[in-house]
Amino acid sequence: DGYMFEPEDLIEKLAAINYTLKPFDIVLIRCDADKRLHHPDFVKIHVGASAKATHWLIDQGIKVMGTDAWGWDIPMKYQLAAFKANPEKNTLFAAHMVGKQKEYCQIEKMACLDQLPPFGFKVSCFPAKIKGGSGGWTRAVAILND
């Protein structure tokens, strides 16, 4: 809980499943946070992306990334602790703020990622359009080839 993954973590996990990212792949981060959906501290118990990891994914050609965690960034209690220790402008929601520099979409609070193979499936995303909104919900569907 609270771990912030970096590009090195992604590189290590990709090597472990023997996969090389291709432009326009969709990357889903499974931390099994969906299994604790009804935990009273659900919003505080997940891993999150660093800004550096988000930049790295985008630089590999990834435009859509998702997680089963409550948010793409680490939980707010860890962000606040980091901000109090070093009140830098881009400390809060650092991974989210990458979107101000580079275009990408993130999907949060996904479920059942443990039921998917490590790769070799398609993901279709059906977002709701919200006039004037900067985010909204989506129906994400995995399409398996079996």
Side-chain angles (χ1 to χ4, degrees), residues 73 76 79-81 83 88-97:
D73 288 270
M76 182 52 73
Q79 293 182 56
L80 287 173
F83 183 76
E88 300 264 336
K89 178 181 172 187
N90 295 322
T91 303
L92 301 175
F93 293 105
H96 272 76
M97 295 302 164

Side-chain angles (χ1 to χ4, degrees), residues 96-132:
H96 272 76
M97 295 302 164
V98 172
K100 289 183 171 188
Q101 301 164 31
K102 299 176 180 174
E103 185 178 42
Y104 82 102
C105 293
Q106 65 190 42
I107 306 168
E108 304 167 347
K109 301 172 198 73
M110 299 181 86
C112 303
L113 297 183
D114 60 322
Q115 296 178 30
L116 299 174
F119 59 88
F121 59 94
K122 294 182 180 183
V123 177
S124 290
C125 305
F126 306 98
K129 292 184 180 183
I130 301 175
K131 185 176 181 178

Side-chain angles (χ1 to χ4, degrees), residues 12-13 15 19 25-26 38 50 62 67 71 75 78 89 94 103 117 121 125 129-130 135 143:
E12 178 183 319
K13 293 295 182 185
Y19 189 77
D25 277 351
I26 294 176
H38 300 291
S50 70
I62 307 307
T67 181
Y78 299 106
K89 178 181 172 187
E103 185 178 42
F121 59 94
C125 305
K129 292 184 180 183
I130 301 175
I143 301 167

Side-chain angles (χ1 to χ4, degrees), residues 16-17 27 31 34 43 50 68 71 75 87 91 101 110 114 131 134 137:
I17 63 170
V27 172
C31 63
D34 61 319
V43 301
S50 70
D68 57 12
T91 303
Q101 301 164 31
M110 299 181 86
D114 60 322
K131 185 176 181 178
S134 64
W137 59 92

